[in-house]
Amino acid sequence: MGQCDARNLSPAGMDFDSPEYMQTSLAAAITLGFRPGLFYRDARLKGLNLLTTYASGCIARCGYCGMARGRKPTREKTFIRVAWPRYRTDEIIAAVNREDHDLERVCVGMITHPNAFQDALTTVKRFKKETSLLISVLIAPTLMKPGMLNLMREAGADRCGVAIDCATPELFQAYRGSGIGGPHVWDRYWQMVEEACQVFGKGKAGVHLIVGLGETELDMVEAIQRAQDLGALIHLFSFFPEEGSYLEERDLPPIGQYRRIQLARYLINHCGISKGQMSFNEHGQLVDFGVPKDELEQIVMEGTAFMTSGCPGKDGQVACNRPYGNERPSQAIRNFPFPPEAEDLVQIREQLYQY
């Protein structure tokens, strides 16, 4: 069938389910040569993101997600702002092995579907056997049973992600759980973070959090600290309104809010600073990061704190750099997929203190 986009084929009599097919990001489709396109400022994708896919879809109803059951019809089904086309797993692996790319890691993600664990496990085994990429798994805690994380590690995954997304139990229930008719439970997600740290090791589990779902900066820093205390790092996202989703009318979080959380995450995960050393105003906004002014200025101007946070590649640097997954290239870059340049750093410093 060649390098085809399965969404452009006639669906009559054809099954595009995993594990024979996987969804991948538009950025990965461009990188692998499946779709034409160029990256703004010559960004280079280093992490291949895959998702299990089924004709019956995801059983969850997350209020901000393009994959949610019950999402209003749109011109094109999207997830994290852009289309996620399906391709044959065989073709994806063949494209990876051509090596005309910068990919260092693959993340095999599970949507909430009864077959997702076994199909993700099959995919992990194939990538371990047939490619040289490092492998992460993004699990669906609602589906997980005892022993499943061990099976993923034994199959070849060296890191595990848990997309909690919401910073507080109230927001989680409202947008992922019973408040929206969804199956997810806050305590179960955090339990899986703890188990992932035990199975994969401290520092090898990642918690996804989305800034801008209605939490305060204090709420978000408390969630970051909770993950850090368990031994998990934070993979930070900025909310983007998905067309047709329950939260399609919500605005992006202010850039100042996002910059402060990026810096707080970096300080907690990498600099030994804790939430208890930070100060917040009456609106729950960060006003003191617990670091002397000259040291903080140096950290800010290094720029690393404002780059994408995610699983590392073979060089120890972030591989899951997700170019422009939080914003359109015409908007202010939220997660830099490359080191910020001098002009970027001047803007970042200004944005950091916008309240």
Side-chain angles (χ1 to χ4, degrees), residues 45-56:
L45 181 72
K46 295 176 65 180
L48 171 62
N49 293 105
L50 302 178
L51 274 176
T52 53
T53 181
Y54 306 96
S56 57

Side-chain angles (χ1 to χ4, degrees), residues 31-44:
T31 297
L32 294 175
F34 295 156
R35 285 200 176 184
L38 297 172
F39 289 103
Y40 176 59
R41 292 178 59 174
D42 198 31
R44 303 287 289 180

